[in-house]
Amino acid sequence: MDRLKDVTAPTLVIVGDADTPGIRQGADLEARQIPGATMRIVKGADHGLPIGWPDEFNDAVIAFLGAPR
């Protein structure tokens, strides 16, 4: 966690709002500590976000990858 500030790659943090509190807190910390990180919270999603919410997950990844840098 001490080195998150050293990450230089574009970073997308995706988390579901129904995931466990620890996972949500970790995602929030990552998004705040990684310079320029983008955070996407998927409503209703839990820890199975990529499987249970594939459209929302894919939309977030595609939008992130297509965003100008």
Side-chain angles (χ1 to χ4, degrees), residues 1 18 23 25 29 33 35 49-51 53 57 67:
M1 298 305 269
I23 296 294
Q25 289 171 343
L29 177 66
Q33 294 294 320
L49 195 158
I51 296 168
W53 293 263
F57 181 83

Side-chain angles (χ1 to χ4, degrees), residues 8-69:
T8 59
T11 303
L12 172 63
V13 178
I14 307 175
V15 68
D17 68 353
D19 209 329
T20 64
I23 296 294
R24 291 191 320 265
Q25 289 171 343
D28 184 58
L29 177 66
E30 291 168 359
R32 286 187 287 115
Q33 294 294 320
I34 297 171
T38 299
M39 182 155 182
R40 176 76 182 265
I41 300 170
V42 178
K43 287 189 173 255
D46 58 22
H47 202 65
L49 195 158
I51 296 168
W53 293 263
D55 293 336
E56 293 86 344
F57 181 83
N58 290 337
D59 289 348
V61 171
I62 290 167
F64 178 76
L65 293 175
R69 307 250 186 272

